[in-house]
Amino acid sequence: MRIMVVDGQGGKLGRMLIEQLKARLPETEVMAVGTNSIATATMLKAGADAGATGENPVAVGAARADVIVGPVGIVIADALWGEVTAAMANAVARSHARKILLPYNKCDVVVVGTQGMTPAEAVAAAVEQTVNYVQEHQGKE
């Protein structure tokens, strides 16, 4: 099972996701794909098994991943202050992988019903969803 965590900006969200995923699923491969090199470096320091930066790694990773985790903006062109290209958003959206998206209400996108959720709560919920999915589907690859 291969998990791809995608993040941009400084990679803080991706760092939190990777730390918690590796703690809960230490044997599962977790790839960090940043929309910029700072985000990738931050996620690698958090314990990702591998990392890459940019549009092509998002496309290649999305095609190979079983699960993709990141902010909702990774499926919206021009999100994350323009760091998500249309090709990146398209690659993630079209991937066969299970997509677990965190409801960050930024870049003019509002996910209704999530206003009371803190970033830590959103990360915990995403990690729980990811762990459940991986455990249910292990060995079915």
Side-chain angles (χ1 to χ4, degrees):
M1 181 81 41
R2 180 179 289 150
I3 300 171
M4 180 173 84
V5 176
V6 181
D7 198 12
Q9 305 290 296
K12 182 179 175 183
L13 175 68
R15 183 196 78 227
M16 293 179 359
L17 286 165
I18 289 168
E19 287 171 349
Q20 292 182 38
L21 287 168
K22 289 306 283 183
R24 300 271 308 271
L25 300 166
E27 302 302 316
T28 301
E29 181 182 1
V30 178
M31 299 219 12
V33 179
T35 59
N36 65 65
S37 59
I38 294 170
T40 304
T42 299
M43 292 188 285
L44 283 168
K45 288 177 188 172
D49 295 299
T53 303
E55 187 172 273
N56 199 56
V58 170
V60 171
R64 294 179 179 168
D66 298 298
V67 181
I68 300 172
V69 186
V72 69
I74 65 174
V75 295
I76 302 168
D78 300 329
L80 303 179
W81 297 103
E83 290 184 15
V84 177
T85 67
M88 289 173 168
N90 193 35
V92 172
R94 287 188 167 184
S95 172
H96 75 281
R98 169 70 62 135
K99 288 158 257 331
I100 299 174
L101 305 174
L102 285 83
Y104 281 90
N105 299 322
K106 295 187 177 182
C107 300
D108 295 324
V109 175
V110 176
V111 180
V112 176
T114 61
Q115 287 76 5
M117 190 176 276
T118 67
E121 291 169 336
V123 167
V127 168
E128 193 63 32
Q129 286 287 321
T130 305
V131 169
N132 290 341
Y133 183 82
V134 168
Q135 289 174 341
E136 290 171 11
H137 292 85
Q138 269 179 326
K140 296 180 184 179
E141 300 150 9

